[in-house]
DNA sequence: ATTCCTAAAGTGGTAAGACCATGGACTGAC
DNA sequence: GTCAGTCCATGGTCTTACCACTTTAGGAAT
């Protein structure tokens, strides 16, 4: 029985033991009867209550734990875990693993999410949202020399924009692709030189994005964002080329 | 042990039985040593080979099956299943279940994906892609009177655009949100009247989107697409209002 | 009376063995 | 040659038992 069968299962079909357990939890999780933090009954009681043996119940519980829905602690019990996007990210990673050039491709998804997010943010962002983004922008400017902090601030900036969109769907998807985004970032950094000219243009691009957002101009904000991504691509390409050229000269 | 621990696990830590089994499969799945369609050893042999008891092995196998990575068939054996986006969709559904207004919100994700997809499609779409979309458009026109076929053609049209983008990341995410998209669609249909005036405008909108794509004009294509979504929203709102008005008059 | 330690109880983790249900293959009869 | 029945391999389930970890309550020492 796969996850797909849990979410939509045919109530008519004869339900085996394992199926009964999984539908039991599916109903209570989707209906909200089981909230995050709730403690489940002990395995032995639960097994008896559901009319299945303990191994069967355990298989179901372990499966749910694997999906990140339960937190099973030895000697304490099983607890309902808040829905976590990291599971999504891992599943997406496994799902996209066989695809070629996935690290380049995931950037397209990033652009998609952010461009829509910033449009929404222009309408919905609160003053607090804008102040948060402004604060991150300051951090970004201050950490020009530190690749580590600078990289984090860069990510935080874009994440804050998505958060300001007020769309939990966009937010979850963005979190889901973020592990791949990170890998992509790390891989690209190997080929990218951190020159002052580049970083200063980077700051300018971020500032322009923020200003358009603060002025609540959706079209302008999206254009600035796309320009930012475009420049990033171009810089990476140039630095990649120069990297290869210097490698040719001095092998 | 949760999924998150499978993908990146610390090799130093003392591995318990269940962990050993999961890391065993993780390594072989990510490395490609286990390909889709491969048949696993029988549970009893596998348990002996890995040095764990059968229930422990079964817990791991069932967990992997739940994630859609294995296909366990009674009486036949366990087979490696190709990564499937439907699992993603189900996980996303569970993850977003507690959020309010998620069915409205997921439309934002849809717009995000499609707008970026059509931009890419303007660059990358092959002649075959365009012909496929054109064919679906014909179906859409022919099935104006049939809500069922029409709805399917509508979905197929948008899906074909995402496919034409050539981005597997966008495609997977679009497939992941499609279950929620469907629910949203069904829910909205309850409040929407299928009037000839509406459907004809719908066809016009789709045709305009296609033409911009065929002419390979990204900005124009995205604009047409956004306009299409906007009109859809407006029509739904109007029909919702008129629905409530008629309900007031004739309670 | 307070504090600390210890032991017991409750909980998940694992193991072993048996039996049932299903699918496929082999073999026999027609 | 074809079909049906039987047998075997495999997954599905149950039972029982024991181990490991956590918490807690009760008793002993201060």
């Amino acid at each position: 029985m796969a996850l797909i069968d849990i979410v939509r299962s045919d109530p008519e079909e004869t339900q085996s033991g394992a199926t009964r357990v999984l539908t039991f939890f599916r109903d209570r999780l989707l209906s909200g009867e089981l909230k995050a933090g709730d403690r489940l009954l002990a395995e032995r009681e639960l097994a008896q209550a559901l009319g299945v043996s303990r191994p069967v119940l355990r298989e179901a519980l372990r499966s749910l734990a694997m999906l990140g829905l339960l937190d099973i602690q030895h000697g304490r019990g099983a607890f309902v875990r808040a829905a976590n996007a990291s599971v999504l990210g891992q599943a997406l990673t496994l799902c996209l693993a066989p695809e070629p050039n996935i690290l380049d491709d995931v950037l397209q998804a990033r652009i998609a999410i952010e461009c829509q997010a910033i449009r929404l943010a222009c309408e919905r962002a609160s003053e607090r949202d804008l102040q948060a983004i402004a604060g991150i922008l300051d951090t970004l400017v201050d950490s020009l020399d530190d690749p580590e902090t600078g990289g984090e601030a860069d990510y935080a900036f874009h994440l804050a924009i998505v958060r300001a969109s007020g769309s939990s769907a966009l937010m979850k998807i963005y979190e889901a692709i973020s592990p791949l985004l990170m890998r992509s970032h790390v891989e690209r950094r190997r080929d990218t030189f951190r020159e002052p000219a580049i970083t200063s243009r980077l700051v300018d691009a971020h500032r322009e994005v923020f200003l358009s957002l603060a002025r609540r101009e959706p079209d302008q904000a999206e254009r600035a964002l796309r320009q930012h991504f475009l420049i990033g691509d171009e810089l990476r390409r140039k630095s990649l080329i120069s990297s290869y050229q210097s490698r040719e000269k001095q092998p």
Side-chain angles (χ1 to χ4, degrees), chain A:
Chain A
M1 171 136 185
L3 173 62
I4 193 173
D5 303 316
I6 297 181
V7 177
R8 44 165 170 214
S9 70
D10 188 355
E12 297 175 14
E13 65 182 313
T14 306
Q15 295 193 340
S16 65
T19 309
R20 209 160 49 238
V21 178
L22 288 173
T23 55
F24 175 85
F25 283 105
R26 187 245 323 186
D27 291 341
R28 275 153 188 75
L29 283 174
L30 284 182
S31 75
E33 189 174 338
L34 279 178
K35 307 180 301 293
D38 285 356
R39 185 174 172 283
L40 266 53
L41 287 175
E43 290 186 355
R44 292 168 179 81
E45 305 173 44
L46 211 49
Q48 192 177 4
L50 294 177
V52 296
S53 70
R54 203 172 147 222
V56 171
L57 178 80
R58 276 182 58 79
E59 285 177 15
L61 291 185
R62 291 292 287 265
S63 295
L64 294 176
M66 179 84 69
L67 292 173
L69 271 54
L70 287 184
D71 184 19
I72 303 180
Q73 299 179 21
H74 193 169
R76 297 194 60 206
F79 302 84
V80 178
R81 180 142 58 177
N84 192 323
S86 64
V87 181
L88 270 184
Q90 306 299 332
L92 194 68
T93 303
L94 281 175
C95 207
L96 291 175
E99 301 286 341
N101 302 334
I102 192 58
L103 293 187
D104 288 338
D105 195 29
V106 78
L107 291 180
Q108 298 300 335
R110 175 204 187 161
I111 297 174
I113 302 297
E114 286 197 37
C115 286
Q116 180 67 9
I118 205 167
R119 282 182 169 276
L120 287 176
C122 282
E123 299 174 14
R124 306 178 178 174
S126 66
E127 281 304 313
R128 272 192 64 189
D129 290 331
L130 294 180
Q131 285 177 9
I133 299 175
I136 296 172
L137 196 54
D138 287 340
T139 310
L140 197 63
V141 174
D142 293 339
S143 61
L144 275 184
D145 305 328
D146 184 356
E148 188 71 20
T149 314
E152 287 175 15
D154 193 325
Y155 176 71
F157 178 83
H158 292 277
L159 187 66
I161 289 177
V162 179
R163 181 175 290 118
S165 75
S167 165
S168 47
L170 290 180
M171 192 66 188
K172 293 285 182 190
I173 295 175
Y174 197 77
E175 291 179 56
I177 65 172
S178 69
L180 284 170
L181 228 45
M182 290 295 182
R183 279 177 52 190
S184 172
H185 185 65
V186 171
E187 188 176 79
R188 285 172 183 283
R189 183 181 286 175
R190 284 204 310 265
D191 309 321
T192 307
F193 300 116
R194 279 263 171 191
E195 298 173 7
I198 293 181
T199 50
S200 84
R201 285 187 67 180
L202 207 65
V203 168
D204 286 344
H206 280 103
R207 187 176 287 127
E208 194 163 343
V209 169
F210 169 70
L211 287 178
S212 308
L213 171 58
R215 294 195 193 107
R216 301 188 183 274
E217 296 170 346
D219 292 331
Q220 174 59 26
E222 180 179 349
R223 205 175 307 130
L225 201 54
R226 286 193 182 278
Q227 191 65 20
H228 165 39
F229 290 134
L230 215 60
I231 290 177
D233 262 357
E234 196 175 336
L235 289 179
R236 273 188 289 268
R237 205 173 322 123
K238 280 183 183 173
S239 101
L240 191 63
I241 290 173
S242 66
S243 160
Y244 269 102
Q245 283 177 338
S246 63
R247 209 177 300 171
E248 279 179 13
K249 289 173 186 171
Q250 306 166 355

